[in-house]
Amino acid sequence: LKIIESKDELKAILDGKVLINTINAHSYNTAQKDALFAEALKNGDYLIPDGASIVKACRWIKAKSRPKERIAGWDLFVYEMNKVNEECRMKNEELKKQRSATVGKADEECCDINSCNNNSSFKKKVMFLGSSEEVLAKIIQEASYLYHNIEVVTYSPPYKPVFSEEDNRAMVEAINNANPDLLWIGMTAPKQEKWVYEHWDELDIHCHVGTIGAVFDFFAGTVRRAPEWWQKHGLEWLYRLLSEPRRMWRRYLIGNVLFLWNIIKEKYGQ
């Protein structure tokens, strides 16, 4: 797998319709027994190492891609949101200068004052598909506070293990009708990656698409992310385990051991 090796490489991601997935120990384990999920990860445009275990494993087995650092889904989210917001800010600065020049000219020519005082701002559209209406409402509120140049569009798919054809069609139509400048999918792995992969050709969009799962809750504030010290020491998984033991014990206590076993088999070719 070709994995992005550092946060600086995020700047090199091409414009246009691009699929960015993340990989951690849990998703690696899942991909060993879920062929469609493995195919989705392999065929995405970029893969982000969202786990210290992935970074260490790639070095240990001397993989072709050896990330220098962990790049969390949150890091991708913040980078992309800041980039879109800054592009809009710069565009608005340019429009402001153009309006000033137009108003100055209007003073000389006495043109219609209403046509010269157009104060509308340029915004780009970011779409969040996934999670509940409650979480999405909090995302809209938070985004309006942090990203003044971004318009947020949301869609909450039905909460069920498998989507019907009608569900899938409604989601595709919602995305295409919104025609976003950035699209986030948050339905947890492996559901989100498989859904995007299976419907990729139906999406008539021209933007970056990121599958970021738990980031929806982190941004909305419904789930607290680990403090920075835990993140820096590669212990965010332990923080999540201690915060939600009943939900996370199997993923981390059993999953981490399974990941180590899978990596040993990968290294020694079993």
Side-chain angles (χ1 to χ4, degrees), residues 67-82:
K68 300 178 180 65
E69 60 183 334
R70 177 198 178 199
I71 308 172
W74 177 262
D75 298 321
L76 173 67
F77 175 78
V78 171
Y79 171 78
E80 292 279 354
M81 293 291 282
N82 285 341

Side-chain angles (χ1 to χ4, degrees), residues 3-268:
I3 302 175
I4 289 182
E5 297 182 1
S6 69
K7 292 174 185 175
D8 284 341
E9 287 189 17
L10 293 176
K11 301 174 185 176
I13 295 178
L14 301 174
D15 292 333
K17 188 180 180 183
V18 171
L19 177 56
I20 310 169
N21 291 314
T22 64
I23 186 168
N24 54 30
H26 173 67
S27 54
Y28 183 88
N29 288 341
T30 304
Q32 304 307 303
K33 56 187 180 182
D34 188 328
L36 180 58
F37 181 43
E39 188 177 338
L41 293 179
K42 289 178 181 177
N43 288 284
D45 296 295
Y46 296 92
L47 199 55
I48 305 295
D50 185 7
S53 54
I54 292 293
V55 175
K56 293 175 182 178
C58 287
R59 294 174 187 169
W60 187 56
I61 66 175
K62 295 180 171 58
K64 290 182 179 180
S65 296
R66 301 182 196 180
K68 300 178 180 65
E69 60 183 334
R70 177 198 178 199
I71 308 172
W74 177 262
D75 298 321
L76 173 67
F77 175 78
V78 171
Y79 171 78
E80 292 279 354
M81 293 291 282
N82 285 341
K83 179 184 175 185
V84 170
N85 193 62
E86 180 62 14
E87 288 172 350
C88 292
R89 188 194 67 79
M90 293 177 65
K91 179 68 174 179
N92 283 321
E93 285 294 323
E94 181 183 337
L95 291 173
K96 186 177 179 181
K97 291 178 182 178
Q98 291 175 359
R99 291 188 194 114
S100 296
T102 301
V103 170
K105 186 176 180 181
D107 290 339
E108 297 176 3
E109 300 178 358
C110 296
C111 75
D112 180 3
I113 191 65
N114 292 323
S115 66
C116 297
N117 289 337
N118 181 5
N119 293 318
S120 61
S121 61
F122 174 79
K123 290 191 175 186
K124 285 194 173 183
K125 190 181 297 181
V126 176
M127 183 173 188
F128 291 77
L129 185 143
S131 198
S132 66
E133 293 288 1
E134 178 186 1
V135 170
L136 292 176
K138 291 180 178 180
I139 285 175
I140 292 173
Q141 183 178 12
E142 189 69 12
S144 67
Y145 175 73
L146 293 175
Y147 303 106
H148 300 159
N149 302 302
I150 288 177
E151 175 190 352
V152 173
V153 178
T154 63
Y155 186 91
S156 178
Y159 186 72
K160 56 174 69 171
V162 180
F163 294 128
S164 66
E165 284 301 315
E166 184 179 355
D167 296 332
N168 291 325
R169 187 164 52 252
M171 284 188 277
V172 169
E173 288 179 359
I175 292 171
N176 289 342
N177 290 338
N179 190 25
D181 297 290
L182 177 62
L183 172 61
W184 298 116
I185 308 292
M187 298 187 287
T188 73
K191 190 175 186 178
Q192 59 194 11
E193 291 84 0
K194 291 196 290 187
W195 187 88
V196 178
Y197 178 63
E198 290 183 302
H199 299 279
W200 187 246
D201 292 338
E202 300 171 52
L203 300 181
D204 185 18
I205 54 177
H206 309 281
C207 66
H208 289 181
V209 180
T211 55
I212 54 173
V215 174
F216 278 44
D217 286 309
F218 294 155
F219 186 62
T222 51
V223 174
R224 185 184 175 191
R225 195 180 175 207
E228 192 172 346
W229 185 91
W230 295 73
Q231 298 175 40
K232 285 185 175 180
H233 291 80
L235 294 173
E236 189 162 7
W237 67 270
L238 181 58
Y239 181 87
R240 292 192 70 188
L241 174 61
L242 294 175
S243 300
E244 302 179 85
R246 297 181 66 178
R247 190 168 79 89
M248 294 295 182
W249 73 269
R250 185 181 299 275
R251 171 184 291 196
Y252 292 123
L253 296 184
I254 297 177
N256 286 354
V257 175
L258 179 59
F259 176 74
L260 180 59
W261 174 243
N262 284 329
I263 292 300
I264 289 173
K265 290 192 295 182
E266 180 77 20
K267 181 175 176 65
Y268 297 107

